[in-house]
Structures are given as C-alpha cells and as structure tokens.
Amino acid sequence: MDHLRVTASAVRGALCAGLLAVAACATGARPSDRPAVGPSARYDPPRDLGQLFHDVQVSGIFEDSKTFVDAQPRLPPDSIRRLYDGGVTDLRAFVERHFELPAAAVETYRSDTAQSMEEHLRALWPVLIRGPPSGGAAQYSSLIPLPAPYVVPGGRFREIYYWDTYFTMLGLVESGHTELVRDMLDNFAHLVRTIGHIRNGNRTFYLHGSQPPYFAAMVGL
C-alpha cells in the first residue's frame, strides 16, 4: 500500500508538473509573430451596464438572450448607463443606437447530401475556424481574444467552449489537423497563464464558470 501511495503521488506530481509546464510555455514556444493579446476583463455586461442589462434581458426585445451580452458598446459603458438612467422610452431603439449588435448566424453553408458523414465533417472545419482579431482586442467587447486559431460550435455560439473543444479535438486529430489541435491547446494554456483557469467560454461574463477539467486529456492528445 505504501508503494501504491508513493506511485500515485509520483504520477500526480508528474502530471501537475507537465500541465504547469504546458501552461507556462506552450504559447511562448509557438511562432513569435503571434499577437500578444491578453484577456479582456475591462467590459463585463452584467457588471458595467447595471439596470440597463437587467431591463434588456428581461424585456424580450431579442429572441436570443445571448445577443445583448455579445453586443459591443459604441461608447464607454458608463456613459451609456448614464444616458439610460436619464430615461428611455424605446428600449430597442436605444440599444441599437448605442451598441453594435452581433451579426446573425448567416446560413451560408449548405450540406451536400451526396457526401459521406466523414466528408461532411471535414468540410465543416473551415466554416467553424476563428482566428485572433486582426486589429487586436476590441476596447469594449465581452469576447476574450485568444492568440491562436480555434474552432467554435457554430450558430449562436461565437466563442470557444472548454469541454466541447476536447471532442472537437478528437475529430480534428482524425482529420489530420494536429496543428489546429495544438493551437487550441495553446489558447487554453494562455487562459491558465493570464486568468488562472479555463473558463467555460472565452467571454468576460463567464468569469466564475468553468466546465469538466479536460485540459489533461487535451494534453494527452
């Protein structure tokens, strides 16, 4: 039993050391021309918009409750909040005037029913890949920029998600996209280094949320 305890302890120590090493240097070991983009903790809609956030989310002016939290303020959030506190008669018009709403999920992709399931999945990868923002992090955005490309679930989900990504990685490995798998692992290591943990999605409003711990399994891939 003592031998088993020592062995288990050694395994845990080795695993922890390995994960810390990945989190400490994974992105640093990648190409040096990657933008050094840190997490955007500056704008958090529930915190920064106060009563406006509550009123929009309970009003039903958007069918999808994710629309407003993904929107980008055109002015500093505190300025918008003060304008709102001064009185607003048309909530929808006020929001459209002061926020850049996210583009709707355009259904430009059409499945080819003649394709096999594997061909269909391979054709989806380019549609779902997102890259680092070309102009750097937006000043007011709930999206936390990541330094490398990643795959999103699609539709209303415009960001990467933690445990979803592990299963996405399984498909990418089978498709031969191992470099993209490494990119997404680097992104999660970046979040560990800059935030302290991997949120369930790279949005500021997921500050206190995570998902089942798949980072070790991702390293294993």
Side-chain angles (χ1 to χ4, degrees):
M1 289 298 292
D2 288 341
H3 172 71
L4 291 178
R5 280 196 293 269
V6 170
T7 302
S9 176
V11 169
R12 286 196 299 270
L15 178 59
C16 289
L19 293 179
L20 288 172
V22 170
C25 66
T27 45
R30 310 295 285 155
S32 59
D33 58 352
R34 275 203 183 140
V37 181
S40 174
R42 295 163 297 174
Y43 171 60
D44 181 23
R47 179 197 65 201
D48 296 340
L49 298 178
Q51 189 63 38
L52 171 60
F53 176 82
H54 173 271
D55 292 349
V56 170
Q57 293 298 77
V58 301
S59 68
I61 60 174
F62 299 114
E63 291 184 7
D64 187 350
S65 61
K66 202 168 180 301
T67 299
F68 189 53
V69 291
D70 289 359
Q72 185 174 327
R74 302 181 192 274
L75 301 172
D78 57 342
S79 298
I80 296 176
R81 188 176 64 246
R82 286 195 296 271
L83 288 171
Y84 181 73
D85 291 343
V88 170
T89 56
D90 188 332
L91 183 59
R92 176 71 184 241
F94 180 87
V95 170
E96 291 181 347
R97 184 181 312 117
H98 296 295
F99 292 84
E100 181 180 342
L101 300 179
V106 181
E107 302 262 343
T108 55
Y109 177 81
R110 291 290 182 272
S111 298
D112 182 351
T113 56
Q115 290 181 326
S116 67
M117 178 61 73
E118 182 176 348
E119 290 171 334
H120 168 72
L121 292 174
R122 289 180 182 275
L124 276 178
W125 297 132
V127 178
L128 299 174
I129 293 174
R130 302 291 182 269
S134 57
Q139 185 176 13
Y140 304 115
S141 174
S142 61
L143 185 68
I144 299 172
L146 298 172
Y150 54 93
V151 175
V152 300
R156 66 195 286 263
F157 300 107
R158 309 170 181 92
E159 54 281 311
I160 198 171
Y161 284 86
Y162 184 9
W163 78 322
D164 303 50
T165 298
Y166 173 72
F167 300 100
T168 298
M169 285 178 170
L170 293 177
L172 289 170
V173 169
E174 290 296 320
S175 300
H177 294 292
T178 54
E179 184 69 16
L180 184 54
V181 171
R182 176 61 187 268
D183 283 337
M184 294 198 290
L185 181 60
D186 285 350
N187 282 330
F188 286 136
H190 170 78
L191 291 175
V192 172
R193 292 195 338 266
T194 58
I195 298 174
H197 71 284
I198 301 172
R199 303 178 183 188
N200 57 311
N202 60 315
R203 291 279 180 181
T204 58
F205 48 80
Y206 290 140
L207 175 62
H208 301 295
S210 187
Q211 287 182 337
Y214 272 83
F215 188 55
M218 294 175 183
V219 174
L221 289 179

